[in-house]
Amino acid sequence: MLKRTALHASTTGSRYNDGLFVRCRSQYVDPGPKELRMIEWPERNRPGFVAFHHDYREDGWGLGKPEDESYFDFEQIGEYMRGVLVHPGNFFGLIDQFGETLQFYVNDDRTVQIDFIVEARRGSMVKMAPLSECIALVESAGPSLAALVIPGAVFQAW
């Protein structure tokens, strides 16, 4: 049985999911803008991130835990996002080499909630978006998810 964790999905309260939405990340010290430009991918020939997901459909993509440390390149990330983020309750997340976490959760109306954890402020930057926008956001990422700009996202405290 997985631990029940809160997903900070709405301004009216927390939404719960028996999945793997993560709230805690490893310690991360912001190296500042200059150092961010010098960051390299962990695998130079395979840019990507550690991925985790949960597809609740019986014939779906199953479960991938953060602790599995499955490294996905961008092609795999896009494939999984298109496969997993189509059913309400499913989610997909990415963790960069610095412990920054970007998560996606499918709402009942099939819109996708983007949730970027901001540990230092004890909250997340959130936005509802279509799947195509979520995929484009990930494809625009560099080696550190901290450098991502999510237009229209608002901060939501935990």
Side-chain angles (χ1 to χ4, degrees):
M1 175 60 93
L2 296 172
K3 181 180 175 190
R4 195 169 188 79
T5 55
L7 164 63
H8 318 288
S10 69
T11 56
T12 58
S14 294
R15 182 179 304 180
Y16 289 89
N17 191 2
D18 285 325
L20 297 173
F21 253 79
V22 292
R23 179 186 267 190
C24 299
R25 299 180 306 175
S26 59
Q27 288 190 352
Y28 168 67
V29 177
D30 184 359
K34 180 179 178 185
E35 287 78 5
L36 281 177
R37 286 191 296 259
M38 298 171 67
I39 295 171
E40 294 183 6
W41 293 101
E43 295 186 26
R44 284 185 151 205
N45 297 327
R46 260 184 89 214
F49 302 102
V50 169
F52 60 95
H53 66 281
H54 199 159
D55 186 341
Y56 287 93
R57 300 172 295 176
E58 279 189 35
D59 61 344
W61 295 65
L63 175 66
K65 300 177 183 179
E67 55 269 21
D68 294 342
E69 296 187 3
S70 298
Y71 186 83
F72 286 22
D73 62 23
F74 281 110
E75 186 176 328
Q76 291 171 295
I77 290 169
E79 180 182 348
Y80 268 73
M81 289 179 77
R82 285 180 192 89
V84 172
L85 297 176
V86 295
H87 183 74
N90 286 358
F91 61 88
F92 181 84
L94 300 169
I95 304 170
D96 72 11
Q97 60 190 324
F98 306 102
E100 297 291 336
T101 304
L102 177 64
Q103 306 175 112
F104 303 92
Y105 175 84
V106 183
N107 297 298
D108 290 338
D109 65 359
R110 298 190 192 276
T111 58
V112 180
Q113 176 179 312
I114 300 169
D115 183 307
F116 180 74
I117 294 177
V118 185
E119 186 73 28
R121 292 178 61 194
R122 301 196 42 79
S124 298
M125 295 301 295
V126 297
K127 176 183 178 178
M128 301 303 172
L131 178 57
S132 59
E133 186 177 332
C134 297
I135 293 170
L137 176 68
V138 170
E139 289 175 345
S140 73
S144 174
L145 292 171
L148 275 179
V149 175
I150 307 172
V154 295
F155 181 77
Q156 191 169 29
W158 299 329

